[in-house]
Amino acid sequence: MADILDTDIKFLKGIGPKRAELLEKNLGIRTYRDMLYHFPTSYVDRSTVWRIADFAGSDMPSVQVKGRFVSLTVQGEGARARLVGLFSDGSGVMEVVWFKRIRAMREHYLTSTDYVVFGKPTQFNGRWSMVHPEVDPPGATAAQIESRGVYPLTEQLRNRGFSSRTFSVAAQDILSAMRSVDETLPPSIIASLGLMGLGEALRVIHNPPTPAQLERARLRMKFEELFYLQLDIQSRSRHRHAATQGFYFPRIGQYFNTFYSEFLPFPLTGAQKRVIREIRADMATGRQMNRLLQGDVGSGKTLVALLTMLIALDNGTQACLMAPTEILATQHYETISQLVAPLGINVKLLTGSTRKKARDVIHTQLQDGSLHILIGTHAVIEDKVKFKNLGFIVIDEQHRFGVAQRARLWGKNSILPHVLVMTATPIPRTLAMTVYGDLDVSVIDELPPGRKPVQTLLRYDEDRFATYQGIGRQLRLGRQVYIVYPLIDENEKLDLRSLEEGYDTIRETFRDYRVAYVHGRMKPEEKDYQMGLFASGETHILVSTTVIEVGVNVPNATTMVIENAERFGLSQLHQLRGRVGRGGEQSYCVLMTKRNIARDTRKRLELMTRTTDGFVIAEADMQMRGPGDIEGTQQSGLPFSLNIANLATDGQIVQMARDKAVEVLDADPLLATSEGVLMRRQLSRLISRTRDWSRIS
Ligand code: ADP
Ligand code: MG
């Protein structure tokens, strides 16, 4: 029997082919079902009617006002034309302004008729106004008005006259036409977790009778989403584990043992040892390893990478380490080639700027097997680069690389090499569980001994003198200093100027010291040269943009000043700060900001002064910004996008969904029972309907 929810949305009253096309283009809504799964993100409190006289402050919530238009006039011409209504509720008058669809609005609204106007009041030239509010028709009943959800919309839809109201009405129409609905979760799960049924949940979510019922309806819909997400992740991961043959590395041999007993520069931390054991165990199963190594900045991931590469060498294969920037690749190359020099291991560096001659040597040696370890940027995944026998790949700072690039490296061998992805961006557990669901995760949760946590200060621009004094003290102690400026695209010119001015000021203030200067628009060679001078201690101060953000290691640098700190996100500040505190000396990070900053921004900066724990910071970052913004999660490729669940705040439901998915797959690995078939059908339905949410405003 045909399911009414599969009906094309164009057949819905008031939609038609044109609007249907817009809906599909903007929100991927094609069917009645899609429409019902386009959930309100919040609900308007329609129990309160505001008085215009009571409007106050700079950040009013969206409110409703009841009254009449005193006048409606078109002002301005051409592109500047707008419709301005004076709206009075008896307590005061505000302006209601439309910039789009002016004619239609002018004809639509009448003076001396009561309307309920809903929107966010702002103050402009001493007068309150609402731009493009929702206006309920004179005849709207209380019930119609009250249960209104706020639906996510795009700018284009808004301009074409769609409003939350359109969605609300459409959902109601579908719900009243719908007699029953096929459950999307197996009855056994609904029963065991006491979830609300699908039909009821959909009704409640678009039209909540009480907050308690709404809560249960949302839980049900979130669980549904997260459960299928986990089911997909878990089953793929099981499949991969069972199916993917990998190199079998049974031996710990000469290279590893000699290095470990004779050339290890310092004893490993407990966490480093544990992670190496985990990797060794993976490599000895005969299945391909796919492991994510999370370790805060400075936790010593490089050494873990090296030791595990030696295991690959001991088993007769080659290893490759890929880093996101030339500077980082070079630094890895220098560290690693120095460490293994006594072992007679052939290590080479391949980046975009490697000369042809050196490149040819690398190509030849890779193919005849005499090159053991290749370190480089994404130049290592070019098609020309062919290994004789690549057994192990380490990818550093993974969020800079896309999944597609990873896949390319894998494709270089008939047997898939083991893969270790290293990241310093600590990802909260529930997010890792989802985003990296098919990777195994190792964590270095311990810093090398003797590290003192970086002391972080928040300072206002007018107290710059105190900052300079601090810099002076550190320089006199023989330490080095980073000064970081933001550089973001929209404002590139302006930013470059403030960077240059900063550079001049610093040079004049610290005449006895040498100052290097780096930004992203320099030629790579020039950048590397300047960075090199700082890394070797020849220059004392490095004035730069965020190009130093990732991985650079200069232990003698003890102070970092971050200018315009208010313009950075938490995770980025944490990454930057990780450049200091890498030696045994007490290090400092000074966050400079103007005095007038938004409350959220201040909270963010104050958190930085209180903790150096990357996980605490990542968690807070995710709470403040939502998981979509966490670096690396956009390209991580969830199999379908989430309409209602939030990985940042729904951690408990993620856990619940995961447990259930594991239970289901343990009992019915092939999803072959009748409930299994139901779940498979729902899963493929979800996966085929992937939406692009990036345009939602
Ligand atoms: P990250 O995890 O940020 O990549 P690195 O691998 O660059 O960190 O290591 C940071 C610093 O700590 C380096 O100077 C490295 O030599 C040092 N280090 C690494 N492991 C240890 C250890 N077990 N004991 C002392 N210092 C260590
Ligand atoms: Mg590193």
Side-chain angles (χ1 to χ4, degrees), residues 3-67:
D3 187 337
I4 183 175
L5 292 188
D6 289 325
T7 314
D8 191 320
I9 195 69
K10 74 180 175 209
F11 296 117
L12 191 66
K13 199 175 82 200
I15 299 289
K18 276 235 177 69
R19 305 186 102 200
E21 209 173 291
L22 276 172
L23 280 173
E24 160 143 33
K25 188 168 144 228
N26 282 271
L27 298 170
I29 295 177
R30 285 187 282 259
T31 63
Y32 284 15
R33 176 180 293 100
D34 296 341
M35 193 58 145
L36 286 187
Y37 272 76
H38 188 65
F39 303 120
T41 43
S42 61
Y43 297 83
V44 172
D45 175 14
R46 290 282 174 136
S47 55
T48 318
V49 175
W50 279 66
R51 284 157 33 98
I52 295 174
D54 295 336
F55 289 2
S58 62
D59 191 22
M60 284 282 294
S62 291
V63 298
Q64 62 179 344
V65 181
K66 196 166 170 189

Side-chain angles (χ1 to χ4, degrees), residues 266-269 272 295-303 448-449 451 551 553 555 582:
F266 18 61
L268 297 180
T269 62
Q272 284 171 321
D296 213 341
V297 283
S299 60
K301 293 186 291 293
T302 315
L303 202 54
R451 295 275 171 80
N553 189 31
R582 300 174 79 84

Side-chain angles (χ1 to χ4, degrees), residues 259-271:
F259 182 78
Y260 196 86
S261 55
E262 288 172 41
F263 302 109
L264 203 59
F266 18 61
L268 297 180
T269 62

Side-chain angles (χ1 to χ4, degrees), residues 496 499-500 503 515-519 522 526-527 530 541-544:
L496 202 58
L499 176 74
E500 275 159 3
Y503 173 65
V515 186
Y517 171 68
V518 178
H519 59 79
M522 276 177 165
E526 173 67 6
K527 202 161 75 185
Q530 296 279 339
I541 304 176
L542 180 66
V543 177
S544 81

Side-chain angles (χ1 to χ4, degrees), residues 296-298 300-302 328 331-332 396-397 422 424 550-553 579 582:
D296 213 341
V297 283
K301 293 186 291 293
T302 315
L328 261 185
Q331 203 163 61
H332 278 315
D396 195 12
E397 309 293 353
M422 305 198 294
V550 186
V552 176
N553 189 31
R579 300 308 108 216
R582 300 174 79 84

